[in-house]
Amino acid sequence: MAHAKTSGARTSGLKRYYDVNGWLFIAPAIGLIGLFLIYPIFRSLYLSFFSGKGMMMKFAGFGNVARLSNDPVFLKALTNTTIFFVVQVPIMIVLALMLASLLNTDRLKFAGVFRTAIFLPCVASLVAYSILFKSMFSVDGIINQALLAVGIIGSPIGWLTEPFWAKVLVIIAITWRWTGYNMIFYLAALQNIDRSIYEAARIDGVPAWARFVHLTIPMLKPVILFTTIISTIGTIQLFDEVYNLTEGKGGPADATITLSLYIYNLTFRYMPSFGYAATISYVIVLMVAVLSFLQFYAARERS
């Protein structure tokens, strides 16, 4: 009996020892999450009810929310962000799936080289990337020269000075940079599909396009949903590409300004307005939440 009590006490002591050490082990991570994630969320929510800056901040209630509908720059940023989402996300998803399907074929030579080349922009330096695009798409850059040489255009395009073409350039830049990221997910999913399924369909006389539509696409639905949501979040939070291509101005004439860039300008470039910037950040949160819910709902309905 005494031995059983001693053994139980030892077990209880070891449990307390491992519990304490476990909490000590994860305490730094919990502290960092609280400092850099949880605290900013509640701090930004608090700031959204104030106007002004520093010691001059005054309680504004829902004044910042009311200000949104009367702010032409915010409305322009919201419109641009919506355009980039509606146009760019489908292009990137379809292109990534097409490239993954091409790389998944056995007949393609040097598939590894192509896979690396397509994925490389994802890890390229943002500075080098912006310099490259500014050089390529300048008035006398290689893109205009190539288009003039083949007769597609009659005069150089102002990619960085004309509002419409500036939007097109941003979409090209995002697609070029992040398509390879989505392609890797599709390629991994395609390589995990049992080839016997395709072989059985081929023997039954199902054409290649029907195999892709009725077999490949349904089996890729989870990956398509994941990449769509990730691309949606990234596009709505679009900042890096626009900032680097337009030097933080979102020009020309606010033609490419996005919600994230406007938040940055309100905080660091214009007359600081932390409360209003925090309010706009929750517009981004709301857009991401609503669009993600709709995408999950649509995927569930199709299933």
Side-chain angles (χ1 to χ4, degrees), residues 93-108:
I93 295 300
V94 172
L95 184 59
L97 181 55
M98 291 173 59
L99 291 171
S101 300
L102 179 62
L103 291 174
N104 193 47
T105 60
D106 298 328
R107 298 185 297 273
L108 181 66

Side-chain angles (χ1 to χ4, degrees), residues 16 68 215 230 282:
R16 286 195 299 270
L68 293 175
L215 292 178
I230 292 298
Y282 278 93

Side-chain angles (χ1 to χ4, degrees), residues 14-77:
L14 287 173
K15 185 177 184 300
R16 286 195 299 270
Y17 171 80
Y18 285 118
D19 285 345
V20 171
N21 280 272
W23 281 107
L24 290 175
F25 182 77
I26 65 174
I30 294 176
L32 291 173
I33 291 172
L35 180 62
F36 294 107
L37 181 63
I38 298 176
Y39 171 74
I41 291 175
F42 287 101
R43 179 62 177 174
S44 64
L45 182 61
Y46 170 80
L47 287 174
S48 67
F49 292 98
F50 289 82
S51 62
K53 64 173 183 174
M55 300 298 293
M56 302 300 294
M57 291 185 66
K58 298 180 179 179
F59 182 75
F62 291 98
N64 288 323
V65 177
R67 179 180 169 184
L68 293 175
S69 60
N70 298 317
D71 182 358
V73 181
F74 165 76
L75 296 176
K76 187 68 173 179

Side-chain angles (χ1 to χ4, degrees), residues 221-235:
K221 277 185 179 180
V223 183
I224 293 173
L225 176 63
F226 171 77
T227 54
T228 302
I229 292 175
I230 292 298
S231 299
T232 297
I233 294 173
T235 304

Side-chain angles (χ1 to χ4, degrees), residues 239-255:
F239 174 82
D240 294 338
E241 286 78 4
V242 177
Y243 180 87
N244 282 279
L245 290 174
T246 66
E247 299 178 355
K249 299 176 182 178
D254 292 332

Side-chain angles (χ1 to χ4, degrees), residues 24-191:
L24 290 175
F25 182 77
I26 65 174
I30 294 176
L32 291 173
I33 291 172
L35 180 62
F36 294 107
L37 181 63
I38 298 176
Y39 171 74
I41 291 175
F42 287 101
R43 179 62 177 174
S44 64
L45 182 61
Y46 170 80
L47 287 174
S48 67
F49 292 98
F50 289 82
S51 62
K53 64 173 183 174
M55 300 298 293
M56 302 300 294
M57 291 185 66
K58 298 180 179 179
F59 182 75
F62 291 98
N64 288 323
V65 177
R67 179 180 169 184
L68 293 175
S69 60
N70 298 317
D71 182 358
V73 181
F74 165 76
L75 296 176
K76 187 68 173 179
L78 179 62
T79 302
N80 291 338
T81 302
T82 304
I83 291 173
F84 291 141
F85 160 70
V86 171
V87 176
Q88 185 266 331
V89 171
I91 292 175
M92 188 165 62
I93 295 300
V94 172
L95 184 59
L97 181 55
M98 291 173 59
L99 291 171
S101 300
L102 179 62
L103 291 174
N104 193 47
T105 60
D106 298 328
R107 298 185 297 273
L108 181 66
K109 296 181 179 180
F110 308 110
V113 175
F114 289 116
R115 182 172 61 248
T116 302
I118 296 170
F119 184 74
L120 187 60
C122 298
V123 295
S125 166
L126 279 173
V127 176
Y129 145 82
S130 60
I131 293 174
L132 173 65
F133 260 72
K134 284 183 178 180
S135 175
M136 291 174 58
F137 288 89
S138 63
V139 175
D140 57 349
I142 188 173
I143 299 298
N144 275 335
Q145 292 180 11
L147 295 175
L148 287 169
V150 298
I152 295 179
I153 59 176
S155 60
I157 295 174
W159 295 97
L160 296 170
T161 58
E162 298 180 19
F164 172 78
W165 292 112
K167 286 186 175 68
V168 173
L169 178 58
V170 170
I171 292 172
I172 293 173
I174 305 170
T175 303
W176 178 82
R177 183 169 178 81
W178 295 114
T179 295
Y181 179 81
N182 289 327
M183 181 202 68
I184 294 299
F185 290 104
Y186 289 127
L187 185 59
L190 287 170
Q191 291 176 345

